[in-house]
Amino acid sequence: GRNWASAISLNRAPKFSDLAAACALVPGMLIVGNSMVALLPGTPPPTEAILGKETMAQFEQMIRAWPWWVAVIIIAVGPAVGEELFCRGFLGRGLVARHGPAAGVAITSLLFGVMHIIPAQAAYAAVLGVLLHLLALAGQSLWLPMIAHFLNNALSVMASCEDSPLRPWLAAAQQSIEAWPALFLPVGLGMCVAVTRHLMTENSVMIPPRSSG
């Protein structure tokens, strides 16, 4: 309808404090994602192929030669807008209204993970989907998950692209996480929980009521 932007909270600019919380959530999201992938079994080779770790490594190798700004536009801007409009704005809104917040967020996040197809990527995408959905519900603005999604993807590709000005620091951090994933995973989860709880506590209107229809 005409008011679609209002219906999915796209016309509502986030508060500065909510925006800061969304940005603060990104480091935890990156740590969780990298840790989960690193913890997946990679040997013997067939296991790595089945889980998709091999495919992800090949993709990372491919984008190294891309100009970093091209990679950001393709891998960060596009998914942040398209996936959030569909998953949190359309699909998630309907599922939360029909099934309630807990089930709606869980189903939406699971489908968000499945959309990524590659098992290794789908596993952490589902977890990050929960965080992105909570951002949207707590801040009552779709811009929050869009911004967090963009930053998560942008920093990930800038850790790979050879010409990225941030590559030395991001690649070093990624290597550390991959070396001790069992240590970093609870740290990342703790960061995400702390930021999300703070955001939801600070907002009096957090979750839309369940539809009776």
Side-chain angles (χ1 to χ4, degrees):
R2 294 181 180 179
N3 299 322
W4 68 271
S6 175
I8 63 174
S9 301
L10 188 62
N11 67 334
R12 189 174 302 173
K15 297 185 299 182
F16 178 79
S17 58
D18 292 346
L19 181 59
C23 293
L25 187 64
V26 174
M29 292 170 60
L30 288 167
I31 292 173
V32 169
N34 282 285
S35 299
M36 289 183 65
V37 173
L39 284 170
L40 293 173
T43 54
T47 303
E48 189 167 299
I50 291 172
L51 292 175
K53 292 183 69 175
E54 180 181 302
T55 303
M56 293 180 65
Q58 291 173 349
F59 180 74
E60 182 178 347
Q61 183 69 30
M62 180 185 70
I63 67 173
R64 283 185 180 179
W66 293 9
W68 68 267
W69 58 271
V70 172
V72 167
I73 292 174
I74 295 175
I75 301 174
V77 176
V81 175
E83 292 178 6
E84 292 309 313
L85 281 173
F86 179 73
C87 291
R88 256 62 64 179
F90 169 69
L91 185 64
R93 179 175 175 272
L95 288 172
V96 167
R98 179 175 293 273
H99 300 290
V105 170
I107 297 171
T108 304
S109 302
L110 179 62
L111 294 174
F112 178 66
V114 172
M115 282 173 55
H116 288 77
I117 302 175
I118 301 173
Q121 190 178 20
Y124 73 78
V127 175
L128 299 189
V130 173
L131 298 172
L132 293 170
H133 209 145
L134 292 178
L135 272 179
L137 293 177
Q140 291 290 290
S141 174
L142 195 63
W143 287 106
L144 292 174
M146 280 185 175
I147 291 169
H149 195 154
F150 164 77
L151 291 174
N152 180 80
N153 288 20
L155 292 174
S156 295
V157 298
M158 291 183 75
S160 301
C161 295
E162 295 286 356
D163 68 339
S164 166
L166 301 180
R167 186 175 188 275
W169 297 278
L170 293 174
Q174 184 175 334
Q175 289 172 4
S176 298
I177 295 171
E178 292 174 350
W180 299 288
L183 174 64
F184 277 97
L185 181 57
V187 172
L189 288 172
M191 293 169 63
C192 291
V193 170
V195 173
T196 304
R197 288 188 63 180
H198 172 76
L199 179 62
M200 298 187 73
T201 301
E202 288 294 311
N203 290 277
S204 55
V205 180
M206 297 177 294
I207 297 175
R210 179 174 177 174
S211 172
S212 59

